[in-house]
Amino acid sequence: MKFSIPIIAVLLLFSLNVLPQQKTSLFSVSTAKPVDQVNVFLGSSADHGQMSPAASYPFSMLSIGPQTYPKTHTGYEYLAKKFEGFTHNRFEGVGCQGSGGNIFIKPFLGSDPAQSELIKASEKAGPGYYEVGFENKIKASFTVLGKAGKHAYQFPVGAKGFYLDLGYAFNGAFVAEEHEVNGNTISGWITSRTTCGAGKYKLFYYLEMGENVSWKVLGEHKLIATLQSGITSAGINIALSSVSVAAAKASINKNAFAAVKAQSREDWNANLSKIAVNGDLESAKLFYSLLYRTMQSPYVISETDGTYRNTKGEEQKDKEIRYNGWAIWDNYRTQLPLLSLIAQDRYAGMVSSIADLYQSGKKDYAGQNEPSNTVRSEHAIVVLLDAYRKGYPVDFNKIADSLVKEVNGLDYKSPDKALESSYDNWALAEIFKILKNKEKADYYLAKALEYKKYWNKDFKDMRKNDVDRMQARGLYQGTIWQYRWFVPYDFKGLIELDGGEESYLAKLDEFFDRDLYNHANEPDLQVPLMYNVTKSGYKSQYWMHQLAADTVIQNYFNDNSRGIGSYIGKIYRNQPHAYLRTMDDDAGAMSAWYVFAASGFSPACVGWPVYYLNVPLFPTVTYNLPQGKTFKIETVNFSLKNKYIKEVFLNGKPFKKNYITQEDINAGGVLKIVASATPVKISDTENWISSLEN
């Protein structure tokens, strides 16, 4: 009986509904800032993204970040306690053991840097800044604004200084350097090998410390800057340039650290606010953390007066901002199309910079005189065609001969290369159509159509025992199953090759039913969208939602393994161990995939300004466009259980298409998607399908 009163009381509270309720926290741009939602530690542990929390700025070659022991490709491991020091550049999210890591600086106590350990005690970071406190009471803070950065240090009283290693680089990529010490400044240039070691880049720098610094040379590339023992705070200003030491010096920012940090934060917020989501707070945090990753590269390489260096190392000048630092094979289907929408003020310069590659000796990976770190540029021709059709100026006449030379030299030695090379042949055929050169357009269209013989040879018969084996038949980081779908330029022809729509659907169903899809890499990234070319488009809506926000089974990894420690769970998680094991973000490629899926539309085929629709992951998503226009996607009946599109309205009128265009988006307006928990299996929409018969 002694329990009767509390039980009755609890029941009464339940009936009155006055017990504390678990409420979902909501995010709105009207009450909070996107910049405050970003978790820069996402994907910064082990091989789960290869991202870092370095202080950075949109599209800046300068990022100041920590070097830990052990480290990942970007120099940092979230779980590491021991720090080696700090460096000033890195290529976020890419493979080949990473690259960058130039201008190494270690603050130390005492007289011997090697005997002064940096053990992490505290840490915090956000867009534009990073700070860490160590057990020895040193505290280091960094911020970046444009090409300029600032260090701020707190020291205990006693002997102290900075150890500099100008011959440091990730992955042993250092090549050469020259420097000059002048009073409290040091300046010069450094040459290092690019990502994957294919080429070399050269950066110029200017670095200044506080007064009363005494220098000691330890070796050819190593120095110590000793501070006075009574000093308890010290700062360093640094700036990078692709052009010259003088240009780097001109970029030095002498404003107070707090002011620079605040401006960097506001600039990041302005960029992140190009897309406004409203809905679940935790989902918004994930969204903006990934959107942040889409704006790290390519890098601005020109100065305020318009000077820049091309990939031959030649100094040039133009009023349009120039960029370098490409990972086009990785991100041409996701990050670059996203930038064509959210960075329209920059994208014309990026497109011109890609076209410039053809005038200064474009390589698939990198040349020997790159103006910045870079990765690779295959399918640049497709990006240029895509940009032109989105309204960006491209002077194809100027680079036509170089485009022809590149396409004529494409590799068909492996099955995947044959399909990828056909994509570029198709793009060149389309460019010659634009140039009204029918003879060459027809020639390269015929070359593109040759993909069919390669497809029939290697991808038609799926009964062979190697079709699910990584790198079988010389494939690059993929399987026959994963590459067989890589015909984005001719889905209509692919269906015919596969025996018609029913046979095509049966193979597509088998592909997903057997968990043969690999989201850890790019080769089959477009396949979840490929139901859209059939009567079963609702299955694309299912898979886009599932891969972006729900539990999946992943059997393939980038160490070319299959079925070893298969992963079950969500792919996109807002934590240091984000993504799948071995899944790199690849210069914003995988982050941009999520941003598109969460927005409710994704690129159908780069080269055509077309996007397939799916149910967004937020009740409303608004793209803030130039000239004050907005494109708002509203989801009626929003729920994560409602994965399917019931009907669509554009500006209040029924919209009977399974796709929208860049023109639709740029015109502004409201796209209303009515969501449903049950699929619409008989649809009356107009389905966009690529075809070489056009």
Side-chain angles (χ1 to χ4, degrees):
M1 292 297 294
K2 64 183 178 179
F3 299 107
S4 60
I5 294 175
I7 289 173
I8 292 171
V10 168
L11 290 173
L12 179 61
L13 288 172
F14 269 122
S15 67
L16 294 175
N17 199 27
V18 294
L19 282 179
Q21 299 294 304
Q22 187 173 4
K23 293 183 179 179
T24 301
S25 297
L26 299 177
F27 171 82
S28 170
V29 290
S30 63
T31 56
K33 290 186 173 183
V35 70
D36 294 328
Q37 315 314 314
V38 174
N39 173 17
V40 298
F41 294 102
L42 185 156
S44 65
S45 184
D47 198 348
H48 287 261
Q50 298 296 351
M51 295 178 266
S52 85
S56 67
Y57 187 79
F59 310 107
S60 173
M61 67 175 73
L62 173 66
S63 66
I64 310 177
Q67 301 302 117
T68 63
Y69 177 81
K71 66 180 180 66
T72 61
H73 294 5
T74 59
Y76 173 86
E77 162 57 56
Y78 178 78
L79 297 176
K81 289 289 188 180
K82 183 178 180 180
F83 279 48
E84 295 180 333
F86 307 95
T87 57
H88 294 79
N89 64 331
R90 67 217 72 242
F91 210 128
E92 295 283 349
V94 299
C96 289
Q97 305 303 309
S99 59
N102 297 132
I103 313 175
F104 176 93
I105 296 180
K106 176 185 179 179
F108 67 91
L109 300 180
S111 58
D112 184 356
Q115 298 301 312
S116 183
E117 272 200 330
L118 299 175
I119 306 299
K120 178 171 67 176
S122 63
E123 181 179 42
K124 68 177 181 177
Y129 81 97
Y130 173 85
E131 68 178 58
V132 58
F134 298 111
E135 290 182 358
N136 64 4
K137 306 306 179 186
I138 293 177
K139 180 182 176 182
S141 305
F142 311 93
T143 189
V144 174
L145 184 66
K147 294 176 184 172
K150 299 181 82 72
H151 299 219
Y153 296 92
Q154 299 296 320
F155 290 100
V157 172
K160 63 183 68 72
F162 296 106
Y163 166 75
L164 282 74
D165 185 353
L166 301 174
Y168 187 94
F170 298 153
N171 208 20
F174 171 74
V175 176
E177 67 94 9
E178 284 188 6
H179 65 269
E180 178 184 348
V181 176
N182 186 3
N184 67 327
T185 71
I186 183 168
S187 60
W189 56 262
I190 297 172
T191 302
S192 290
R193 284 184 288 275
T194 59
T195 307
C196 303
K200 296 193 290 285
Y201 67 92
K202 186 175 187 178
L203 63 82
F204 300 86
Y205 68 93
Y206 188 88
L207 182 153
E208 61 180 21
M209 298 188 180
E211 300 296 331
N212 301 315
V213 173
S214 59
W215 295 92
K216 178 182 178 182
V217 178
L218 294 183
E220 192 174 1
H221 311 297
K222 301 176 176 64
L223 305 93
I224 287 179
T226 302
L227 304 177
Q228 292 182 341
S229 61
I231 289 176
T232 56
S233 63
I236 296 175
N237 290 327
I238 186 168
L240 301 184
S241 172
S242 293
V243 176
S244 66
V245 168
K249 182 178 180 180
S251 292
I252 288 287
N253 192 322
K254 295 193 180 269
N255 292 329
F257 185 96
V260 174
K261 175 185 171 184
Q263 187 60 58
S264 182
R265 178 179 178 276
E266 284 306 306
D267 290 355
W268 267 116
N269 191 63
N271 280 272
L272 294 165
S273 296
K274 296 289 183 68
I275 309 178
V277 300
N278 286 275
D280 175 64
L281 177 60
E282 294 306 312
S283 297
K285 288 179 178 179
L286 175 61
F287 180 89
Y288 285 114
S289 297
L290 295 172
L291 181 60
Y292 168 77
R293 292 297 168 185
T294 69
M295 302 180 195
Q296 303 286 331
S297 60
Y299 311 122
V300 174
I301 58 167
S302 52
E303 301 299 328
T304 53
D305 66 355
T307 57
Y308 67 97
R309 290 187 186 272
N310 63 18
T311 52
K312 286 182 178 178
E314 301 166 334
E315 190 169 319
Q316 308 281 314
K317 191 168 186 177
D318 195 276
K319 60 184 178 182
E320 194 172 48
I321 294 173
R322 287 302 197 275
Y323 297 81
N324 194 56
W326 307 108
I328 297 176
W329 183 89
D330 302 280
N331 60 25
Y332 77 102
R333 286 180 279 179
T334 53
Q335 188 242 13
L336 291 175
L338 182 66
L339 296 182
S340 80
L341 287 168
I342 66 171
Q344 296 193 32
D345 55 334
R346 292 180 177 271
Y347 200 65
M350 293 177 185
V351 171
S352 294
S353 301
I354 293 172
D356 281 351
L357 297 177
Y358 287 95
Q359 295 179 269
S360 55
K362 177 183 173 295
K363 308 283 187 183
D364 276 353
Y365 273 73
Q368 300 304 306
N369 295 285
E370 296 286 342
S372 75
N373 196 357
T374 193
V375 186
R376 56 196 304 187
S377 60
E378 301 101 316
H379 301 309
I381 187 173
V382 179
V383 175
L384 294 177
L385 173 64
D386 188 69
Y388 177 86
R389 285 180 163 157
K390 289 174 176 176
Y392 291 97
V394 182
D395 188 348
F396 287 122
N397 274 312
K398 197 173 183 180
I399 59 173
D401 289 346
S402 296
L403 295 174
V404 166
K405 182 180 178 181
E406 178 181 58
V407 170
N408 286 349
L410 289 171
D411 182 0
Y412 290 78
K413 291 177 183 175
S414 58
D416 55 325
K417 285 286 189 181
L419 297 185
E420 292 204 39
S421 296
S422 297
Y423 197 0
D424 287 9
N425 273 280
W426 166 77
L428 187 54
E430 294 296 307
I431 288 168
F432 278 122
K433 284 182 187 177
I434 292 166
L435 296 177
K436 297 187 172 16
N437 187 329
K438 187 177 187 304
E439 181 183 354
K440 288 189 175 180
D442 289 346
Y443 174 80
Y444 285 103
L445 178 60
K447 287 285 291 181
L449 280 164
E450 289 180 9
Y451 86 85
K452 293 185 178 183
K453 72 177 182 183
Y454 296 103
W455 196 93
N456 281 324
K457 174 180 175 290
D458 276 297
F459 298 104
K460 190 176 185 70
D461 185 357
M462 301 305 291
R463 295 170 297 177
K464 297 178 181 178
N465 63 7
D466 67 345
V467 294
D468 60 352
R469 190 182 307 155
M470 293 291 284
Q471 294 188 301
R473 307 181 208 174
L475 297 175
Y476 177 73
Q477 297 183 345
T479 68
I480 292 292
W481 264 111
Q482 289 156 16
Y483 271 108
R484 83 186 302 267
W485 312 104
F486 193 82
V487 192
Y489 42 91
D490 191 23
F491 285 149
K492 185 176 181 181
L494 177 62
I495 290 173
E496 292 170 357
L497 287 174
D498 218 3
E501 186 168 315
E502 294 302 325
S503 176
Y504 168 87
L505 281 171
K507 286 288 196 299
L508 205 49
D509 286 343
E510 181 182 356
F511 182 68
F512 284 106
D513 289 345
R514 291 176 54 194
D515 300 306
L516 297 168
Y517 173 74
N518 178 19
H519 202 75
N521 209 340
E522 284 83 13
D524 55 354
L525 210 56
Q526 82 287 351
V527 186
L529 295 166
M530 290 178 63
Y531 285 104
N532 279 305
V533 302
T534 74
K535 62 187 178 185
S536 299
Y538 66 91
K539 292 183 180 178
S540 279
Q541 296 159 25
Y542 171 86
W543 279 110
M544 292 301 287
H545 180 279
Q546 206 72 10
L547 291 161
D550 215 328
T551 297
V552 294
I553 299 171
Q554 290 282 278
N555 292 322
Y556 293 91
F557 303 95
N558 284 350
D559 55 8
N560 295 315
S561 66
R562 173 185 175 272
I564 302 171
S566 298
Y567 174 78
I568 304 173
K570 289 184 178 182
I571 296 172
Y572 290 93
R573 295 163 293 167
N574 190 8
Q575 59 190 46
H577 273 77
Y579 293 175
L580 306 168
R581 174 174 61 82
T582 78
M583 177 177 162
D584 296 341
D585 190 46
D586 281 332
M590 295 307 190
S591 291
W593 186 96
Y594 177 90
V595 170
F596 271 126
S599 299
F601 59 93
S602 296
C605 170
V606 178
W608 292 111
V610 176
Y611 302 85
Y612 286 128
L613 298 176
N614 64 274
V615 176
L617 299 181
F618 295 91
T620 65
V621 181
T622 303
Y623 277 62
N624 293 304
L625 304 166
Q627 300 174 337
K629 292 183 179 179
T630 61
F631 186 73
K632 186 177 185 181
I633 305 102
E634 294 181 353
T635 304
V636 181
N637 301 330
F638 177 82
S639 167
L640 291 182
K641 295 179 180 179
N642 296 344
K643 306 173 184 179
Y644 303 103
I645 297 175
K646 183 178 181 181
E647 53 187 336
V648 179
F649 298 87
L650 180 60
N651 297 326
K653 297 178 181 178
F655 190 72
K656 296 294 185 178
K657 298 178 181 179
N658 74 342
Y659 67 96
I660 54 173
T661 66
Q662 190 98 349
E663 187 178 11
D664 292 329
I665 297 169
N666 281 335
V670 178
L671 184 76
K672 188 172 290 187
I673 295 176
V674 181
S676 171
T678 56
V680 177
K681 294 188 176 182
I682 301 175
S683 174
D684 60 351
T685 59
E686 173 193 328
N687 294 353
W688 186 85
I689 182 168
S690 59
S691 173
L692 290 185
E693 295 177 0
N694 292 341

